[in-house]
mmCIF file of all heavy atoms in Angstrom:
data_model
loop_
_atom_site.group_PDB
_atom_site.id
_atom_site.type_symbol
_atom_site.label_atom_id
_atom_site.label_comp_id
_atom_site.label_asym_id
_atom_site.label_seq_id
_atom_site.Cartn_x
_atom_site.Cartn_y
_atom_site.Cartn_z
ATOM 1 N N PHE A 1376 16.751 1.117 8.393
ATOM 2 C CA PHE A 1376 16.940 2.103 7.358
ATOM 3 C C PHE A 1376 15.627 2.815 7.057
ATOM 4 O O PHE A 1376 15.466 4.028 7.109
ATOM 5 C CB PHE A 1376 17.457 1.501 6.077
ATOM 6 C CG PHE A 1376 18.934 1.154 6.105
ATOM 7 C CD1 PHE A 1376 19.385 -0.112 5.696
ATOM 8 C CD2 PHE A 1376 19.878 2.102 6.533
ATOM 9 C CE1 PHE A 1376 20.750 -0.375 5.738
ATOM 10 C CE2 PHE A 1376 21.237 1.827 6.559
ATOM 11 C CZ PHE A 1376 21.663 0.544 6.154
ATOM 12 N N MET A 1398 10.926 1.474 -1.466
ATOM 13 C CA MET A 1398 11.856 0.342 -1.214
ATOM 14 C C MET A 1398 11.953 -0.542 -2.409
ATOM 15 O O MET A 1398 13.073 -0.984 -2.759
ATOM 16 C CB MET A 1398 11.335 -0.452 0.011
ATOM 17 C CG MET A 1398 11.746 0.096 1.376
ATOM 18 S SD MET A 1398 10.995 -0.846 2.708
ATOM 19 C CE MET A 1398 12.045 -2.310 2.733
ATOM 20 N N PHE A 1406 19.667 -3.402 -7.778
ATOM 21 C CA PHE A 1406 20.026 -4.742 -8.359
ATOM 22 C C PHE A 1406 20.498 -4.587 -9.785
ATOM 23 O O PHE A 1406 21.535 -5.157 -10.195
ATOM 24 C CB PHE A 1406 18.772 -5.646 -8.324
ATOM 25 C CG PHE A 1406 19.069 -7.082 -8.657
ATOM 26 C CD1 PHE A 1406 19.548 -7.912 -7.678
ATOM 27 C CD2 PHE A 1406 18.870 -7.507 -9.932
ATOM 28 C CE1 PHE A 1406 19.851 -9.245 -7.985
ATOM 29 C CE2 PHE A 1406 19.187 -8.837 -10.256
ATOM 30 C CZ PHE A 1406 19.646 -9.683 -9.287
ATOM 31 N N ILE A 1407 19.730 -3.767 -10.563
ATOM 32 C CA ILE A 1407 20.122 -3.641 -11.964
ATOM 33 C C ILE A 1407 21.478 -2.939 -12.047
ATOM 34 O O ILE A 1407 22.323 -3.355 -12.838
ATOM 35 C CB ILE A 1407 19.059 -2.809 -12.696
ATOM 36 C CG1 ILE A 1407 17.705 -3.561 -12.787
ATOM 37 C CG2 ILE A 1407 19.514 -2.416 -14.096
ATOM 38 C CD1 ILE A 1407 16.608 -2.864 -13.407
ATOM 39 N N ALA A 1417 28.158 0.475 -6.065
ATOM 40 C CA ALA A 1417 27.439 1.273 -7.061
ATOM 41 C C ALA A 1417 25.965 1.025 -7.007
ATOM 42 O O ALA A 1417 25.141 1.946 -7.097
ATOM 43 C CB ALA A 1417 28.010 0.986 -8.494
ATOM 44 N N MET A 1423 19.849 4.477 -3.683
ATOM 45 C CA MET A 1423 19.538 5.668 -2.849
ATOM 46 C C MET A 1423 19.105 6.800 -3.802
ATOM 47 O O MET A 1423 18.148 7.552 -3.472
ATOM 48 C CB MET A 1423 20.700 6.069 -2.019
ATOM 49 C CG MET A 1423 21.006 5.078 -0.888
ATOM 50 S SD MET A 1423 22.449 5.483 0.062
ATOM 51 C CE MET A 1423 21.831 6.859 1.027
ATOM 52 N N LEU A 1491 29.114 -12.275 16.090
ATOM 53 C CA LEU A 1491 28.048 -11.366 16.533
ATOM 54 C C LEU A 1491 28.373 -9.896 16.199
ATOM 55 O O LEU A 1491 27.509 -9.132 15.842
ATOM 56 C CB LEU A 1491 27.872 -11.484 18.037
ATOM 57 C CG LEU A 1491 26.844 -12.526 18.497
ATOM 58 C CD1 LEU A 1491 26.647 -12.428 19.991
ATOM 59 C CD2 LEU A 1491 25.472 -12.348 17.815
ATOM 60 N N PHE A 1493 31.700 -8.720 14.532
ATOM 61 C CA PHE A 1493 32.747 -8.261 13.596
ATOM 62 C C PHE A 1493 32.649 -8.888 12.196
ATOM 63 O O PHE A 1493 33.538 -8.752 11.414
ATOM 64 C CB PHE A 1493 34.140 -8.545 14.180
ATOM 65 C CG PHE A 1493 34.374 -7.851 15.472
ATOM 66 C CD1 PHE A 1493 34.420 -8.545 16.639
ATOM 67 C CD2 PHE A 1493 34.466 -6.437 15.519
ATOM 68 C CE1 PHE A 1493 34.623 -7.941 17.832
ATOM 69 C CE2 PHE A 1493 34.656 -5.790 16.709
ATOM 70 C CZ PHE A 1493 34.729 -6.507 17.899
ATOM 71 N N VAL A 1499 25.215 -3.101 7.695
ATOM 72 C CA VAL A 1499 24.798 -3.242 9.087
ATOM 73 C C VAL A 1499 25.419 -2.163 9.929
ATOM 74 O O VAL A 1499 24.762 -1.491 10.736
ATOM 75 C CB VAL A 1499 25.073 -4.654 9.634
ATOM 76 C CG1 VAL A 1499 24.883 -4.692 11.157
ATOM 77 C CG2 VAL A 1499 24.226 -5.708 8.940
ATOM 78 N N ALA A 1518 19.810 22.688 13.157
ATOM 79 C CA ALA A 1518 19.063 22.290 12.021
ATOM 80 C C ALA A 1518 17.955 21.241 12.399
ATOM 81 O O ALA A 1518 16.843 21.317 11.944
ATOM 82 C CB ALA A 1518 19.954 21.674 10.958
ATOM 83 N N LEU A 1522 13.898 21.527 12.004
ATOM 84 C CA LEU A 1522 13.101 20.486 11.392
ATOM 85 C C LEU A 1522 11.949 20.089 12.262
ATOM 86 O O LEU A 1522 10.783 19.976 11.830
ATOM 87 C CB LEU A 1522 13.997 19.273 11.082
ATOM 88 C CG LEU A 1522 13.260 18.104 10.420
ATOM 89 C CD1 LEU A 1522 13.531 18.080 8.918
ATOM 90 C CD2 LEU A 1522 13.661 16.748 11.030
ATOM 91 N N LEU A 1561 17.785 -5.457 0.822
ATOM 92 C CA LEU A 1561 17.075 -6.705 0.563
ATOM 93 C C LEU A 1561 17.585 -7.352 -0.712
ATOM 94 O O LEU A 1561 17.783 -8.597 -0.759
ATOM 95 C CB LEU A 1561 15.563 -6.424 0.433
ATOM 96 C CG LEU A 1561 14.845 -6.034 1.700
ATOM 97 C CD1 LEU A 1561 13.420 -5.642 1.366
ATOM 98 C CD2 LEU A 1561 14.841 -7.225 2.700
ATOM 99 N N TRP A 1569 16.598 -10.463 -7.281
ATOM 100 C CA TRP A 1569 15.431 -9.638 -7.457
ATOM 101 C C TRP A 1569 14.246 -10.526 -7.664
ATOM 102 O O TRP A 1569 14.247 -11.413 -8.565
ATOM 103 C CB TRP A 1569 15.574 -8.660 -8.622
ATOM 104 C CG TRP A 1569 14.231 -8.104 -9.061
ATOM 105 C CD1 TRP A 1569 13.607 -8.399 -10.211
ATOM 106 C CD2 TRP A 1569 13.444 -7.151 -8.364
ATOM 107 N NE1 TRP A 1569 12.364 -7.729 -10.234
ATOM 108 C CE2 TRP A 1569 12.290 -6.949 -9.114
ATOM 109 C CE3 TRP A 1569 13.604 -6.511 -7.119
ATOM 110 C CZ2 TRP A 1569 11.253 -6.104 -8.700
ATOM 111 C CZ3 TRP A 1569 12.534 -5.670 -6.683
ATOM 112 C CH2 TRP A 1569 11.430 -5.448 -7.509
ATOM 113 N N VAL A 1586 5.690 4.558 14.768
ATOM 114 C CA VAL A 1586 4.709 4.762 15.817
ATOM 115 C C VAL A 1586 5.132 4.001 17.061
ATOM 116 O O VAL A 1586 5.070 4.522 18.191
ATOM 117 C CB VAL A 1586 3.297 4.294 15.401
ATOM 118 C CG1 VAL A 1586 2.295 4.509 16.460
ATOM 119 C CG2 VAL A 1586 2.913 4.945 14.121
ATOM 120 N N LEU A 1634 -0.214 -6.197 16.998
ATOM 121 C CA LEU A 1634 -0.173 -6.295 18.442
ATOM 122 C C LEU A 1634 0.586 -5.130 19.088
ATOM 123 O O LEU A 1634 0.091 -4.416 19.999
ATOM 124 C CB LEU A 1634 0.474 -7.625 18.898
ATOM 125 C CG LEU A 1634 0.474 -7.896 20.384
ATOM 126 C CD1 LEU A 1634 -0.977 -8.220 20.807
ATOM 127 C CD2 LEU A 1634 1.332 -9.029 20.729
ATOM 128 N N ILE A 1639 0.971 0.063 21.929
ATOM 129 C CA ILE A 1639 1.557 1.471 22.022
ATOM 130 C C ILE A 1639 0.451 2.491 21.896
ATOM 131 O O ILE A 1639 0.427 3.518 22.668
ATOM 132 C CB ILE A 1639 2.578 1.664 20.875
ATOM 133 C CG1 ILE A 1639 3.796 0.850 21.147
ATOM 134 C CG2 ILE A 1639 2.926 3.098 20.693
ATOM 135 C CD1 ILE A 1639 4.620 1.362 22.274
ATOM 136 N N ALA A 1650 3.731 12.437 18.789
ATOM 137 C CA ALA A 1650 3.599 12.618 17.351
ATOM 138 C C ALA A 1650 3.781 14.056 16.959
ATOM 139 O O ALA A 1650 3.363 14.966 17.742
ATOM 140 C CB ALA A 1650 2.214 12.147 16.887
ATOM 141 N N ALA A 1652 2.988 17.553 15.783
ATOM 142 C CA ALA A 1652 1.612 18.059 15.796
ATOM 143 C C ALA A 1652 1.096 18.363 14.424
ATOM 144 O O ALA A 1652 -0.170 18.277 14.176
ATOM 145 C CB ALA A 1652 1.556 19.338 16.632
#
Side-chain angles (χ1 to χ4, degrees):
Chain A
F1376 284 130
M1398 276 176 76
F1406 190 84
I1407 293 176
M1423 292 177 73
L1491 271 185
F1493 301 110
V1499 168
L1522 181 99
L1561 289 174
W1569 164 252
V1586 181
L1634 186 70
I1639 289 290

